[in-house]
Amino acid sequence: MKNIKGIIASLGLILCIGGCTVGYANTAIPAKTLQAAQTAAQKGAIKPVAAQAPYQIYTSVNPLDVVNAPDRYLNKNIKIKAKFDKFATLGLDYPPAMKSSENFISFLIQRPDVLDHNIPLSEMKIFLDRKEAEKHIDLNSGDIIEFTGKVFSSALGDPWIEVDKFTVISSTPKKDSSNTAN
């Protein structure tokens, strides 16, 4: 009988909290039910549901489009697949778009419009948490990566992106210089 009262109290609390937004605004909750739900919550009989992070939607973009119109992508979640170029310190500790060199490292991707040379897309400032970057220290120039993040600034007319997910799609074999014939 106590379990049934607890369930009814829980339902009463749910209706009390969320009911007004789903059409229960005119439903009166008996004071005893409300009081029982509050008592059960205080005793720990009703466990709060863990908050979930809101679902993020990312738009797949061409990096050149973002570089050519950074304000259009400001505060937007984007997804980019590109060739990795190198880790760098470009843009770190710049006050208008502050990302601390203690917590972040930047990286460069290669320009997708140049196929016969490796030219970095230095106009795009991309920041990765140092702890995540340490997992990928052996990346080579030309490795295919994909990352998602938010364009948080367009300082200097460039897009500044904080990465929240970094994935290596494929790696190129590291060139071994010790096996070259003289």
Side-chain angles (χ1 to χ4, degrees):
M1 187 68 175
K2 286 185 178 185
N3 286 341
I4 293 173
K5 285 183 181 180
I7 292 170
I8 292 172
S10 298
L11 290 174
L13 182 61
I14 292 168
L15 290 175
C16 177
I17 293 171
C20 296
T21 60
V22 291
Y24 294 98
N26 295 329
T27 303
I29 298 172
K32 281 186 174 182
T33 303
L34 182 58
Q35 185 178 9
Q38 289 170 339
T39 302
Q42 289 170 350
K43 290 181 178 179
I46 300 172
K47 303 288 182 200
V49 177
Q52 294 180 353
Y55 181 73
Q56 300 284 340
I57 297 174
Y58 295 90
T59 304
S60 290
V61 297
N62 179 323
L64 294 176
D65 292 341
V66 179
V67 166
N68 290 331
D71 288 330
R72 183 172 142 205
Y73 295 93
L74 190 59
N75 297 315
K76 301 278 194 281
N77 294 318
I78 62 173
K79 179 183 200 177
I80 295 176
K81 185 175 180 182
K83 285 185 178 180
F84 176 82
D85 191 64
K86 65 181 141 246
F87 287 107
T89 57
L90 185 67
L92 290 169
D93 299 319
Y94 179 64
M98 187 62 176
K99 289 294 173 194
S100 168
S101 58
E102 291 180 18
N103 301 321
F104 292 91
I105 189 75
S106 61
F107 67 91
L108 296 167
I109 60 174
Q110 294 178 7
R111 293 188 67 89
D113 58 342
V114 178
L115 302 177
D116 57 347
H117 291 85
N118 293 336
I119 299 177
L121 186 62
S122 59
E123 301 91 335
M124 183 174 279
K125 313 308 188 263
I126 313 168
F127 302 94
L128 183 62
D129 182 88
R130 278 194 176 270
K131 290 176 186 170
E132 180 65 22
E134 288 172 3
K135 297 175 188 175
H136 306 285
I137 199 71
D138 57 347
L139 277 173
N140 297 312
S141 181
D143 289 351
I144 306 298
I145 61 167
E146 182 176 79
F147 61 93
T148 60
K150 186 174 192 170
V151 180
F152 68 92
S153 178
S154 60
L156 301 174
D158 293 339
W160 298 63
I161 304 165
E162 182 174 343
V163 173
D164 52 33
K165 184 177 179 189
F166 185 91
T167 307
V168 178
I169 304 295
S170 66
S171 297
T172 56
K174 192 163 186 118
K175 295 177 184 172
D176 186 6
S177 60
S178 64
N179 291 338
T180 57
N182 289 341

